[in-house]
Amino acid sequence: MSVARAGRRDIAVLRRAARAEWGPLLRTVRSELVSARLRAIPVTLAAVCLTLVFQFVQNQAWGYHAIQDIGSVQAYEHLWIALLRTPLSLFVPALDLPVWGALAQILVVFGIAETCLGWRKTLLVAYVATLAGTMYARIGIWIGPQSPLGLPDSDKYVIDTGPSAAVVGLAVFVCWRYRAWLTGSLVVLSMVFEVLFIKNNLAGKEHLAAILGVLVVCGLWEAWRPVKPRDAQRVSGWGRRR
């Protein structure tokens, strides 16, 4: 009996921890989806459709160069060209990865972010994260491979597209906004682990750059609009669109 009581007590503790970690976030997402249904995520749905269109077109002989011209970013190109292409590069799937992974990332993470932050902030954070990765590629090549923070010169020819940097950045921002500290820490640690042990390349390091860029935004936001301790649990008010 004592073992059963201990088991129930452990389950209760886990439930309280889960509610504290994800409760405000899930309540906001559920409330928006119940009240507005698909109207709550118009940008997310548009992003999914745009990614599908880009995927189809770039796999056609007649469309590959057109997609590269509007959404392909490479570090050797002039900076102004990269800046012009960066917004659309977010929706151009990487050629060496399955498109379904990109679509799932956009649907889930963009969808959660849009219901919690609104479409304007979602696009802003996504762009900041993607731009941070784009700028890091140039800085990393300038630093060189002799530093752990640098990149080999050959990476300047790597086609840098896809939503992964934006997805990571949005995940960190939403976790910060809703005080899901454990989840946010796990996202950051998983990206560090990726660079150290799995993918020590441009894509992996760009994820860290995206996180750093978003953390700067979080810091500025925190300084501009501090949250009083008594308001820390009233996140649902924050989550409403402005």
Side-chain angles (χ1 to χ4, degrees):
M1 183 64 69
S2 59
V3 174
R5 285 203 192 107
R8 286 195 294 271
R9 188 163 54 246
D10 292 341
I11 292 174
V13 170
L14 289 175
R15 284 178 177 171
R16 284 196 297 271
R19 282 197 296 268
E21 181 76 6
W22 300 310
L25 173 63
L26 293 179
R27 283 195 296 272
T28 301
V29 172
R30 182 172 58 189
S31 174
E32 289 289 335
L33 291 179
V34 168
S35 61
R37 299 182 184 274
L38 293 181
R39 296 193 307 276
I41 52 171
V43 169
T44 299
L45 297 177
V48 170
C49 293
L50 187 61
T51 302
L52 273 174
V53 170
F54 281 172
Q55 171 68 9
F56 172 78
V57 174
Q58 77 173 350
N59 280 284
Q60 310 304 313
W62 50 266
Y64 174 78
H65 290 292
I67 297 299
Q68 297 304 301
D69 288 342
I70 65 174
S72 173
V73 177
Q74 294 171 281
Y76 82 91
E77 297 173 320
H78 291 296
L79 179 59
W80 67 271
I81 294 178
L83 293 178
L84 286 175
R85 292 176 176 175
T86 294
L88 285 181
S89 72
L90 196 158
F91 306 108
V92 178
L95 291 170
D96 59 337
L97 296 174
V99 67
W100 303 113
L103 294 175
Q105 290 177 4
I106 293 173
L107 184 61
V108 174
V109 179
F110 271 65
I112 291 174
E114 189 173 1
T115 56
C116 296
L117 308 174
W119 67 268
R120 292 181 181 86
K121 293 187 182 73
T122 297
L123 288 180
L124 175 62
V125 174
Y127 181 70
V128 167
T130 303
L131 183 61
T134 297
M135 298 306 297
Y136 162 74
R138 296 169 179 270
I139 296 171
I141 291 169
W142 177 75
I143 293 173
Q146 65 276 7
S147 168
L149 300 177
L151 295 167
D153 188 66
S154 59
D155 278 356
K156 66 184 180 183
Y157 300 112
V158 173
I159 297 176
D160 184 18
T161 60
S164 59
V167 165
V168 171
L170 282 170
V172 170
F173 189 86
V174 170
C175 288
W176 165 78
R177 188 79 181 268
Y178 280 81
R179 295 337 194 216
W181 302 120
L182 177 60
T183 306
S185 299
L186 289 176
V187 172
V188 175
L189 290 175
S190 66
M191 294 300 102
V192 173
F193 181 86
E194 176 188 50
V195 170
L196 292 178
F197 301 106
I198 300 175
K199 192 188 293 183
N200 185 17
N201 58 9
L202 173 61
K205 291 181 178 179
E206 278 190 341
H207 293 163
L208 296 182
I211 290 173
L212 181 60
V214 169
L215 288 178
V216 170
V217 173
C218 294
L220 293 174
W221 200 306
E222 196 78 33
W224 174 64
R225 187 177 181 178
V227 180
K228 299 178 182 179
R230 67 182 180 182
D231 293 334
Q233 298 301 321
R234 298 175 60 191
V235 188
S236 58
W238 278 32
R240 298 192 183 279
R241 297 175 182 163
R242 292 173 169 79

